[in-house]
């Protein structure tokens, strides 16, 4: 079974600064997806960024980028130029690439609460 | 609708009461997932539907939990004889094939 670990329960960053959220995972599979989701107080999970394990290039979406280290099973999220609206819970998640019923579910970490200060 | 709709948004149930939580997925989305998110935790998988077929219910914590999606669209998660440990946010997500859209969840509080 796959597991996802987020070792930082809380992080704080000043507005306009850069912060990195950590995630490690464990799997015996070679092909999979990794995700970062943002969950504001509204509770809806919002996709921030996605990485396919077979791609060596790190994914980037505007101010958000990842550092994907497949051998180390590490998948950190970097938020540049932090904004007040970035404050939320951030969850790292894993999904098998196999498109079968069980494999398509997401396995989440326990989350990191990000505070953004002025 | 444009997104995944869940109702009610909040539900308070007395211990022992039965509850039904509704999920209205995006039209045409084949896959539907239910997750349970306890306070301060990440969501945990409960069950998965492909159209009307429940292909995986391995995450349902007990036989008090039951889910259905009879016509392959709206899904209902039913919890019988609720207990305090059932208090959580219940999230629904739908997906065409790849990618997920989540609803805003139902916060269930059992008192």
């Amino acid at each position: 079974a796959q597991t996802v670990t987020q070792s930082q329960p809380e992080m704080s960053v000043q507005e306009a600064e850069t912060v990195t959220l950590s995630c490690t995972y464990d799997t015996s599979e070679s092909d999979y997806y990794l995700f970062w989701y943002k969950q504001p107080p509204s509770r809806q999970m919002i996709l921030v960024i996605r990485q396919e394990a077979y791609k060596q290039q790190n994914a980037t979406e505007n101010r958000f980028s990842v550092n994907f280290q497949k051998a180390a099973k590490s998948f950190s999220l970097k938020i540049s130029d932090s904004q007040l609206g970035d404050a939320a819970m951030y969850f790292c998640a894993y999904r098998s690439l196999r498109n079968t019923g069980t494999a398509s579910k997401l396995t989440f970490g326990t989350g990191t609460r990000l505070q953004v200060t002025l | 609708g444009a997104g995944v709709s869940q109702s009610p948004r909040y539900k308070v149930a007395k211990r022992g009461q039965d509850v039904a939580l509704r999920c209205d997925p995006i039209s045409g989305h084949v896959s539907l997932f239910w997750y349970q998110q306890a306070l301060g935790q990440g969501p945990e998988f409960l069950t998965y539907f492909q159209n009307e077929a429940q292909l995986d219910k391995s995450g349902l914590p007990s036989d008090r939990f039951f889910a259905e999606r009879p016509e392959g669209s709206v899904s209902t998660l039913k919890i019988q004889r609720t207990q305090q440990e059932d208090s959580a946010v219940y999230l629904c997500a739908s997906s065409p094939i790849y990618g997920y859209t989540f609803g805003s969840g139902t916060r269930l509080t059992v008192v």
Side-chain angles (χ1 to χ4, degrees), chain A residues 2 27-32 70 94-98 103:
Chain A
Q2 293 81 27
T27 184
S28 59
E29 299 180 330
S30 58
D31 292 322
Y32 46 86
K70 190 173 184 179
Y94 172 103
R95 197 214 112 161
S96 173
L97 192 61
R98 291 179 292 118

Side-chain angles (χ1 to χ4, degrees), chain A residues 3-8 22-26 92 108-111:
Chain A
T3 59
V4 177
T5 302
Q6 293 179 250
S7 58
Q8 305 156 316
S22 301
C23 172
T24 58
Y25 58 95
D26 191 25
C92 179
F108 288 89
T110 53

